[in-house]
Amino acid sequence: MATLDDVRRIAGGLPGSEERATTGGAAWFVRNKLYAWECHPWPSIPEDVRAIVARELVVAVRIADKVDALALREMQPDVFLPATTAWSEPKVAFRMAGVDADHLAELVTEAWRTQAPQYLRREFDAAGEVTA
């Protein structure tokens, strides 16, 4: 099962990424732009989703567009939760217990890409070419 330490490890390898403690839990930013966060059972979340968030670890990430979120939700409805709130859209929330390590890395990295400035994305891509 994936943990917040796995998210920390992935995010820690992304240029300009920083973790901050928020009232809802851990959150990751790049150049002050939120890209991943631990979900908290806020009253504004629909009751059915809030019940899931209250009993298990759920993380949300920014994504490129709403179509991507819909596709993830339709492909794995047992892992990717229905829309929670309009805040920080487009995003997708998922049960950490249902995500494998590779998919978690892809979700966090792609979320970072949606928020990172171009120069940081180039830096990350160039570093990947060297180590590949």
Side-chain angles (χ1 to χ4, degrees), residues 63 65-77 80 92:
I63 56 171
D65 63 42
K66 291 180 182 187
V67 173
D68 292 342
L70 182 60
L72 288 167
R73 289 179 188 123
E74 287 181 354
M75 287 188 308
Q76 289 185 288
F80 293 92
V92 66

Side-chain angles (χ1 to χ4, degrees), residues 59-83 90-95 98-99 103-104 106-108 110-111 114:
V59 168
V61 293
R62 293 274 308 190
I63 56 171
D65 63 42
K66 291 180 182 187
V67 173
D68 292 342
L70 182 60
L72 288 167
R73 289 179 188 123
E74 287 181 354
M75 287 188 308
Q76 289 185 288
D78 55 325
V79 175
F80 293 92
L81 303 180
K91 68 174 179 278
V92 66
F94 54 92
R95 296 171 164 172
V99 176
H103 199 189
L104 179 63
E106 179 183 347
L107 289 165
V108 172
E110 289 306 311
T114 66

Side-chain angles (χ1 to χ4, degrees), residues 40-58:
H40 187 74
W42 299 109
S44 58
I45 297 174
E47 189 174 333
D48 57 334
V49 176
R50 189 170 58 239
I52 295 168
V53 173
R55 74 173 176 262
E56 61 186 280
L57 179 58
V58 174

Side-chain angles (χ1 to χ4, degrees), residues 74-128:
E74 287 181 354
M75 287 188 308
Q76 289 185 288
D78 55 325
V79 175
F80 293 92
L81 303 180
T84 54
T85 65
W87 178 78
S88 199
E89 283 290 340
K91 68 174 179 278
V92 66
F94 54 92
R95 296 171 164 172
M96 290 287 281
V99 176
D100 66 34
D102 289 339
H103 199 189
L104 179 63
E106 179 183 347
L107 289 165
V108 172
T109 302
E110 289 306 311
W112 172 84
R113 284 185 177 286
T114 66
Q115 299 292 64
Q118 187 175 21
Y119 76 95
L120 286 178
R121 294 191 311 265
R122 279 195 307 261
E123 177 184 323
F124 178 73
D125 292 342

